[in-house]
PDB file of all heavy atoms in Angstrom:
ATOM      1  N   GLY A  24      70.498  23.734 149.463  1.00 98.00           N
ATOM      2  CA  GLY A  24      71.907  23.518 149.537  1.00 98.00           C
ATOM      3  C   GLY A  24      72.299  22.038 149.354  1.00 98.00           C
ATOM      4  O   GLY A  24      71.506  21.211 149.065  1.00 98.00           O
ATOM      5  N   SER A  25      73.672  21.805 149.587  1.00 98.00           N
ATOM      6  CA  SER A  25      74.190  20.445 149.324  1.00 98.00           C
ATOM      7  C   SER A  25      75.111  20.041 150.449  1.00 98.00           C
ATOM      8  O   SER A  25      75.736  20.897 151.113  1.00 98.00           O
ATOM      9  CB  SER A  25      74.974  20.374 147.943  1.00 98.00           C
ATOM     10  OG  SER A  25      74.137  20.699 146.900  1.00 98.00           O
ATOM     11  N   LEU A  26      75.198  18.718 150.657  1.00 98.00           N
ATOM     12  CA  LEU A  26      76.127  18.155 151.610  1.00 98.00           C
ATOM     13  C   LEU A  26      76.559  16.845 151.036  1.00 98.00           C
ATOM     14  O   LEU A  26      75.863  16.184 150.263  1.00 98.00           O
ATOM     15  CB  LEU A  26      75.473  17.927 152.932  1.00 98.00           C
ATOM     16  CG  LEU A  26      75.311  19.030 153.954  1.00 98.00           C
ATOM     17  CD1 LEU A  26      74.515  18.544 155.193  1.00 98.00           C
ATOM     18  CD2 LEU A  26      76.630  19.685 154.321  1.00 98.00           C
ATOM     19  N   ARG A  27      77.839  16.468 151.426  1.00 98.00           N
ATOM     20  CA  ARG A  27      78.299  15.152 150.972  1.00 98.00           C
ATOM     21  C   ARG A  27      78.696  14.430 152.157  1.00 98.00           C
ATOM     22  O   ARG A  27      79.611  14.791 152.928  1.00 98.00           O
ATOM     23  CB  ARG A  27      79.519  15.313 150.012  1.00 98.00           C
ATOM     24  CG  ARG A  27      80.003  14.065 149.395  1.00 98.00           C
ATOM     25  CD  ARG A  27      81.335  14.154 148.803  1.00 98.00           C
ATOM     26  NE  ARG A  27      81.679  13.151 147.799  1.00 98.00           N
ATOM     27  CZ  ARG A  27      82.890  12.776 147.416  1.00 98.00           C
ATOM     28  NH1 ARG A  27      83.902  13.472 147.921  1.00 98.00           N
ATOM     29  NH2 ARG A  27      83.063  11.822 146.579  1.00 98.00           N
ATOM     30  N   LEU A  28      78.072  13.218 152.340  1.00 98.00           N
ATOM     31  CA  LEU A  28      78.406  12.351 153.555  1.00 98.00           C
ATOM     32  C   LEU A  28      79.410  11.358 153.099  1.00 98.00           C
ATOM     33  O   LEU A  28      79.340  10.811 151.967  1.00 98.00           O
ATOM     34  CB  LEU A  28      77.104  11.705 154.146  1.00 98.00           C
ATOM     35  CG  LEU A  28      75.968  12.593 154.461  1.00 98.00           C
ATOM     36  CD1 LEU A  28      74.827  11.781 155.116  1.00 98.00           C
ATOM     37  CD2 LEU A  28      76.430  13.694 155.481  1.00 98.00           C
ATOM     38  N   SER A  29      80.283  11.023 154.058  1.00 98.00           N
ATOM     39  CA  SER A  29      81.208   9.930 153.810  1.00 98.00           C
ATOM     40  C   SER A  29      81.097   8.841 154.789  1.00 98.00           C
ATOM     41  O   SER A  29      80.706   9.105 155.883  1.00 98.00           O
ATOM     42  CB  SER A  29      82.706  10.487 153.801  1.00 98.00           C
ATOM     43  OG  SER A  29      82.921  11.444 152.843  1.00 98.00           O
ATOM     44  N   CYS A  30      81.478   7.625 154.393  1.00 98.00           N
ATOM     45  CA  CYS A  30      81.406   6.504 155.302  1.00 98.00           C
ATOM     46  C   CYS A  30      82.725   5.705 155.085  1.00 98.00           C
ATOM     47  O   CYS A  30      82.908   5.057 154.050  1.00 98.00           O
ATOM     48  CB  CYS A  30      80.200   5.612 155.052  1.00 98.00           C
ATOM     49  SG  CYS A  30      80.122   4.132 155.974  1.00 98.00           S
ATOM     50  N   ALA A  31      83.555   5.704 156.066  1.00 98.00           N
ATOM     51  CA  ALA A  31      84.810   4.993 156.006  1.00 98.00           C
ATOM     52  C   ALA A  31      84.633   3.565 156.660  1.00 98.00           C
ATOM     53  O   ALA A  31      84.159   3.489 157.787  1.00 98.00           O
ATOM     54  CB  ALA A  31      85.918   5.730 156.781  1.00 98.00           C
ATOM     55  N   ALA A  32      85.023   2.555 155.892  1.00 97.00           N
ATOM     56  CA  ALA A  32      84.834   1.201 156.429  1.00 97.00           C
ATOM     57  C   ALA A  32      86.163   0.568 156.703  1.00 97.00           C
ATOM     58  O   ALA A  32      87.128   0.766 155.976  1.00 97.00           O
ATOM     59  CB  ALA A  32      83.979   0.440 155.398  1.00 97.00           C
ATOM     60  N   SER A  33      86.129  -0.379 157.668  1.00 94.00           N
ATOM     61  CA  SER A  33      87.285  -1.165 157.939  1.00 94.00           C
ATOM     62  C   SER A  33      86.789  -2.563 158.547  1.00 94.00           C
ATOM     63  O   SER A  33      85.702  -2.633 159.008  1.00 94.00           O
ATOM     64  CB  SER A  33      88.211  -0.494 158.926  1.00 94.00           C
ATOM     65  OG  SER A  33      87.602  -0.239 160.104  1.00 94.00           O
ATOM     66  N   GLY A  34      87.690  -3.478 158.477  1.00 92.00           N
ATOM     67  CA  GLY A  34      87.379  -4.805 159.074  1.00 92.00           C
ATOM     68  C   GLY A  34      87.008  -5.873 158.122  1.00 92.00           C
ATOM     69  O   GLY A  34      86.970  -7.035 158.494  1.00 92.00           O
ATOM     70  N   ARG A  35      86.644  -5.512 156.921  1.00 89.00           N
ATOM     71  CA  ARG A  35      86.228  -6.500 155.891  1.00 89.00           C
ATOM     72  C   ARG A  35      86.694  -5.962 154.536  1.00 89.00           C
ATOM     73  O   ARG A  35      86.892  -4.803 154.391  1.00 89.00           O
ATOM     74  CB  ARG A  35      84.714  -6.711 155.785  1.00 89.00           C
ATOM     75  CG  ARG A  35      84.097  -7.611 156.889  1.00 89.00           C
ATOM     76  CD  ARG A  35      84.333  -9.044 156.654  1.00 89.00           C
ATOM     77  NE  ARG A  35      83.944  -9.495 155.341  1.00 89.00           N
ATOM     78  CZ  ARG A  35      82.690  -9.992 154.987  1.00 89.00           C
ATOM     79  NH1 ARG A  35      81.762  -9.960 155.981  1.00 89.00           N
ATOM     80  NH2 ARG A  35      82.371 -10.353 153.747  1.00 89.00           N
ATOM     81  N   THR A  36      86.886  -6.882 153.597  1.00 91.00           N
ATOM     82  CA  THR A  36      87.205  -6.421 152.257  1.00 91.00           C
ATOM     83  C   THR A  36      86.068  -5.561 151.703  1.00 91.00           C
ATOM     84  O   THR A  36      84.985  -6.045 151.547  1.00 91.00           O
ATOM     85  CB  THR A  36      87.461  -7.612 151.350  1.00 91.00           C
ATOM     86  OG1 THR A  36      88.493  -8.372 151.900  1.00 91.00           O
ATOM     87  CG2 THR A  36      87.915  -7.098 149.908  1.00 91.00           C
ATOM     88  N   PHE A  37      86.365  -4.287 151.463  1.00 94.00           N
ATOM     89  CA  PHE A  37      85.298  -3.321 151.145  1.00 94.00           C
ATOM     90  C   PHE A  37      84.588  -3.693 149.849  1.00 94.00           C
ATOM     91  O   PHE A  37      83.369  -3.505 149.739  1.00 94.00           O
ATOM     92  CB  PHE A  37      85.880  -1.979 151.014  1.00 94.00           C
ATOM     93  CG  PHE A  37      84.874  -0.868 150.835  1.00 94.00           C
ATOM     94  CD1 PHE A  37      84.119  -0.519 151.878  1.00 94.00           C
ATOM     95  CD2 PHE A  37      84.789  -0.171 149.651  1.00 94.00           C
ATOM     96  CE1 PHE A  37      83.138   0.508 151.769  1.00 94.00           C
ATOM     97  CE2 PHE A  37      83.803   0.804 149.574  1.00 94.00           C
ATOM     98  CZ  PHE A  37      82.977   1.133 150.624  1.00 94.00           C
ATOM     99  N   SER A  38      85.239  -4.302 148.879  1.00 93.00           N
ATOM    100  CA  SER A  38      84.595  -4.599 147.609  1.00 93.00           C
ATOM    101  C   SER A  38      83.609  -5.797 147.750  1.00 93.00           C
ATOM    102  O   SER A  38      82.922  -6.123 146.646  1.00 93.00           O
ATOM    103  CB  SER A  38      85.627  -4.874 146.592  1.00 93.00           C
ATOM    104  OG  SER A  38      86.476  -5.937 146.944  1.00 93.00           O
ATOM    105  N   TYR A  39      83.515  -6.415 148.906  1.00 94.00           N
ATOM    106  CA  TYR A  39      82.534  -7.477 149.164  1.00 94.00           C
ATOM    107  C   TYR A  39      81.333  -6.951 149.943  1.00 94.00           C
ATOM    108  O   TYR A  39      80.489  -7.738 150.325  1.00 94.00           O
ATOM    109  CB  TYR A  39      83.181  -8.684 149.788  1.00 94.00           C
ATOM    110  CG  TYR A  39      83.873  -9.559 148.805  1.00 94.00           C
ATOM    111  CD1 TYR A  39      85.190  -9.247 148.381  1.00 94.00           C
ATOM    112  CD2 TYR A  39      83.337 -10.723 148.305  1.00 94.00           C
ATOM    113  CE1 TYR A  39      85.891 -10.099 147.522  1.00 94.00           C
ATOM    114  CE2 TYR A  39      84.004 -11.536 147.421  1.00 94.00           C
ATOM    115  CZ  TYR A  39      85.275 -11.173 147.088  1.00 94.00           C
ATOM    116  OH  TYR A  39      85.945 -12.030 146.215  1.00 94.00           O
ATOM    117  N   LEU A  40      81.335  -5.600 150.254  1.00 96.00           N
ATOM    118  CA  LEU A  40      80.248  -5.094 151.037  1.00 96.00           C
ATOM    119  C   LEU A  40      79.216  -4.403 150.230  1.00 96.00           C
ATOM    120  O   LEU A  40      79.570  -3.525 149.347  1.00 96.00           O
ATOM    121  CB  LEU A  40      80.842  -4.051 152.053  1.00 96.00           C
ATOM    122  CG  LEU A  40      81.821  -4.553 153.065  1.00 96.00           C
ATOM    123  CD1 LEU A  40      82.353  -3.364 153.889  1.00 96.00           C
ATOM    124  CD2 LEU A  40      81.261  -5.618 153.955  1.00 96.00           C
ATOM    125  N   VAL A  41      77.962  -4.717 150.434  1.00 97.00           N
ATOM    126  CA  VAL A  41      76.868  -3.855 149.924  1.00 97.00           C
ATOM    127  C   VAL A  41      76.724  -2.766 150.916  1.00 97.00           C
ATOM    128  O   VAL A  41      76.658  -2.920 152.142  1.00 97.00           O
ATOM    129  CB  VAL A  41      75.543  -4.669 149.884  1.00 97.00           C
ATOM    130  CG1 VAL A  41      74.422  -3.856 149.420  1.00 97.00           C
ATOM    131  CG2 VAL A  41      75.723  -5.913 148.932  1.00 97.00           C
ATOM    132  N   MET A  42      76.610  -1.526 150.413  1.00 97.00           N
ATOM    133  CA  MET A  42      76.587  -0.358 151.240  1.00 97.00           C
ATOM    134  C   MET A  42      75.191   0.321 151.133  1.00 97.00           C
ATOM    135  O   MET A  42      74.605   0.355 150.082  1.00 97.00           O
ATOM    136  CB  MET A  42      77.638   0.634 150.828  1.00 97.00           C
ATOM    137  CG  MET A  42      79.059   0.097 150.936  1.00 97.00           C
ATOM    138  SD  MET A  42      79.491  -0.434 152.639  1.00 97.00           S
ATOM    139  CE  MET A  42      79.360   1.123 153.551  1.00 97.00           C
ATOM    140  N   GLY A  43      74.755   0.840 152.262  1.00 98.00           N
ATOM    141  CA  GLY A  43      73.463   1.552 152.276  1.00 98.00           C
ATOM    142  C   GLY A  43      73.489   2.775 153.165  1.00 98.00           C
ATOM    143  O   GLY A  43      74.364   2.876 154.063  1.00 98.00           O
ATOM    144  N   TRP A  44      72.618   3.686 152.962  1.00 98.00           N
ATOM    145  CA  TRP A  44      72.371   4.845 153.774  1.00 98.00           C
ATOM    146  C   TRP A  44      70.892   4.821 154.201  1.00 98.00           C
ATOM    147  O   TRP A  44      70.030   4.568 153.460  1.00 98.00           O
ATOM    148  CB  TRP A  44      72.644   6.156 153.007  1.00 98.00           C
ATOM    149  CG  TRP A  44      74.092   6.418 152.794  1.00 98.00           C
ATOM    150  CD1 TRP A  44      74.860   6.135 151.669  1.00 98.00           C
ATOM    151  CD2 TRP A  44      75.036   7.011 153.673  1.00 98.00           C
ATOM    152  NE1 TRP A  44      76.121   6.489 151.824  1.00 98.00           N
ATOM    153  CE2 TRP A  44      76.259   7.080 152.999  1.00 98.00           C
ATOM    154  CE3 TRP A  44      74.890   7.574 154.980  1.00 98.00           C
ATOM    155  CZ2 TRP A  44      77.410   7.622 153.623  1.00 98.00           C
ATOM    156  CZ3 TRP A  44      76.029   8.120 155.562  1.00 98.00           C
ATOM    157  CH2 TRP A  44      77.304   8.157 154.872  1.00 98.00           C
ATOM    158  N   PHE A  45      70.772   5.084 155.482  1.00 98.00           N
ATOM    159  CA  PHE A  45      69.423   5.215 156.146  1.00 98.00           C
ATOM    160  C   PHE A  45      69.355   6.508 156.869  1.00 98.00           C
ATOM    161  O   PHE A  45      70.390   7.140 157.163  1.00 98.00           O
ATOM    162  CB  PHE A  45      69.130   4.032 157.124  1.00 98.00           C
ATOM    163  CG  PHE A  45      68.974   2.703 156.395  1.00 98.00           C
ATOM    164  CD1 PHE A  45      70.049   2.026 155.810  1.00 98.00           C
ATOM    165  CD2 PHE A  45      67.697   2.156 156.221  1.00 98.00           C
ATOM    166  CE1 PHE A  45      69.874   0.820 155.162  1.00 98.00           C
ATOM    167  CE2 PHE A  45      67.524   0.925 155.670  1.00 98.00           C
ATOM    168  CZ  PHE A  45      68.606   0.247 155.119  1.00 98.00           C
ATOM    169  N   ARG A  46      68.166   6.948 157.290  1.00 98.00           N
ATOM    170  CA  ARG A  46      68.121   8.126 158.032  1.00 98.00           C
ATOM    171  C   ARG A  46      66.952   8.002 159.043  1.00 98.00           C
ATOM    172  O   ARG A  46      66.000   7.216 158.854  1.00 98.00           O
ATOM    173  CB  ARG A  46      67.881   9.374 157.207  1.00 98.00           C
ATOM    174  CG  ARG A  46      66.512   9.386 156.426  1.00 98.00           C
ATOM    175  CD  ARG A  46      66.461  10.591 155.500  1.00 98.00           C
ATOM    176  NE  ARG A  46      65.240  10.696 154.794  1.00 98.00           N
ATOM    177  CZ  ARG A  46      64.987  11.567 153.835  1.00 98.00           C
ATOM    178  NH1 ARG A  46      65.927  12.435 153.470  1.00 98.00           N
ATOM    179  NH2 ARG A  46      63.796  11.573 153.251  1.00 98.00           N
ATOM    180  N   GLN A  47      67.030   8.720 160.180  1.00 98.00           N
ATOM    181  CA  GLN A  47      66.029   8.678 161.230  1.00 98.00           C
ATOM    182  C   GLN A  47      65.788  10.114 161.716  1.00 98.00           C
ATOM    183  O   GLN A  47      66.673  10.720 162.291  1.00 98.00           O
ATOM    184  CB  GLN A  47      66.452   7.790 162.325  1.00 98.00           C
ATOM    185  CG  GLN A  47      65.374   7.550 163.371  1.00 98.00           C
ATOM    186  CD  GLN A  47      65.745   6.349 164.261  1.00 98.00           C
ATOM    187  OE1 GLN A  47      66.853   5.916 164.405  1.00 98.00           O
ATOM    188  NE2 GLN A  47      64.729   5.833 165.024  1.00 98.00           N
ATOM    189  N   ALA A  48      64.594  10.500 161.537  1.00 97.00           N
ATOM    190  CA  ALA A  48      64.115  11.829 161.984  1.00 97.00           C
ATOM    191  C   ALA A  48      63.558  11.655 163.408  1.00 97.00           C
ATOM    192  O   ALA A  48      63.122  10.559 163.726  1.00 97.00           O
ATOM    193  CB  ALA A  48      63.126  12.477 161.078  1.00 97.00           C
ATOM    194  N   PRO A  49      63.475  12.708 164.190  1.00 93.00           N
ATOM    195  CA  PRO A  49      62.945  12.606 165.553  1.00 93.00           C
ATOM    196  C   PRO A  49      61.541  12.055 165.517  1.00 93.00           C
ATOM    197  O   PRO A  49      60.705  12.542 164.804  1.00 93.00           O
ATOM    198  CB  PRO A  49      63.100  14.092 166.045  1.00 93.00           C
ATOM    199  CG  PRO A  49      64.141  14.697 165.331  1.00 93.00           C
ATOM    200  CD  PRO A  49      64.124  14.051 163.924  1.00 93.00           C
ATOM    201  N   GLY A  50      61.349  11.068 166.313  1.00 95.00           N
ATOM    202  CA  GLY A  50      59.990  10.467 166.486  1.00 95.00           C
ATOM    203  C   GLY A  50      59.579   9.583 165.358  1.00 95.00           C
ATOM    204  O   GLY A  50      58.449   9.082 165.262  1.00 95.00           O
ATOM    205  N   LYS A  51      60.496   9.331 164.443  1.00 97.00           N
ATOM    206  CA  LYS A  51      60.141   8.445 163.326  1.00 97.00           C
ATOM    207  C   LYS A  51      61.067   7.175 163.226  1.00 97.00           C
ATOM    208  O   LYS A  51      62.157   7.176 163.828  1.00 97.00           O
ATOM    209  CB  LYS A  51      60.292   9.228 161.969  1.00 97.00           C
ATOM    210  CG  LYS A  51      59.299  10.400 161.859  1.00 97.00           C
ATOM    211  CD  LYS A  51      59.366  11.002 160.510  1.00 97.00           C
ATOM    212  CE  LYS A  51      58.281  12.056 160.311  1.00 97.00           C
ATOM    213  NZ  LYS A  51      58.294  12.645 158.941  1.00 97.00           N
ATOM    214  N   ASP A  52      60.663   6.240 162.487  1.00 97.00           N
ATOM    215  CA  ASP A  52      61.486   5.047 162.306  1.00 97.00           C
ATOM    216  C   ASP A  52      62.634   5.347 161.327  1.00 97.00           C
ATOM    217  O   ASP A  52      62.541   6.270 160.550  1.00 97.00           O
ATOM    218  CB  ASP A  52      60.596   3.924 161.696  1.00 97.00           C
ATOM    219  CG  ASP A  52      59.604   3.395 162.665  1.00 97.00           C
ATOM    220  OD1 ASP A  52      59.842   3.555 163.897  1.00 97.00           O
ATOM    221  OD2 ASP A  52      58.594   2.842 162.125  1.00 97.00           O
ATOM    222  N   ARG A  53      63.660   4.519 161.484  1.00 98.00           N
ATOM    223  CA  ARG A  53      64.754   4.622 160.516  1.00 98.00           C
ATOM    224  C   ARG A  53      64.306   4.112 159.173  1.00 98.00           C
ATOM    225  O   ARG A  53      63.774   3.076 159.007  1.00 98.00           O
ATOM    226  CB  ARG A  53      65.890   3.785 161.070  1.00 98.00           C
ATOM    227  CG  ARG A  53      67.280   4.087 160.363  1.00 98.00           C
ATOM    228  CD  ARG A  53      68.380   3.350 161.013  1.00 98.00           C
ATOM    229  NE  ARG A  53      68.566   3.775 162.399  1.00 98.00           N
ATOM    230  CZ  ARG A  53      69.560   3.445 163.151  1.00 98.00           C
ATOM    231  NH1 ARG A  53      70.593   2.547 162.617  1.00 98.00           N
ATOM    232  NH2 ARG A  53      69.679   3.833 164.412  1.00 98.00           N
ATOM    233  N   GLU A  54      64.577   4.995 158.174  1.00 98.00           N
ATOM    234  CA  GLU A  54      64.121   4.670 156.808  1.00 98.00           C
ATOM    235  C   GLU A  54      65.234   4.533 155.820  1.00 98.00           C
ATOM    236  O   GLU A  54      66.303   5.226 155.957  1.00 98.00           O
ATOM    237  CB  GLU A  54      63.094   5.737 156.311  1.00 98.00           C
ATOM    238  CG  GLU A  54      63.696   7.109 156.192  1.00 98.00           C
ATOM    239  CD  GLU A  54      62.661   8.081 155.566  1.00 98.00           C
ATOM    240  OE1 GLU A  54      61.487   7.711 155.454  1.00 98.00           O
ATOM    241  OE2 GLU A  54      63.107   9.269 155.337  1.00 98.00           O
TER     242      GLU A  54
END
């Protein structure tokens, strides 16, 4: 299946932000 995650940002000019996604499974490091 599929999912779409969203990330709403505030506090800085968005077009000057580098954006990233990370994930962390139980017992594992954030990757």
Side-chain angles (χ1 to χ4, degrees):
S25 298
L26 282 175
R27 189 192 197 202
L28 305 183
S29 298
C30 174
S33 60
R35 282 283 306 271
T36 302
F37 188 69
S38 59
Y39 280 81
L40 299 177
V41 176
M42 301 301 296
W44 287 94
F45 290 73
R46 66 186 182 186
Q47 188 166 17
K51 294 188 176 181
D52 290 335
R53 192 172 299 187
E54 64 175 5

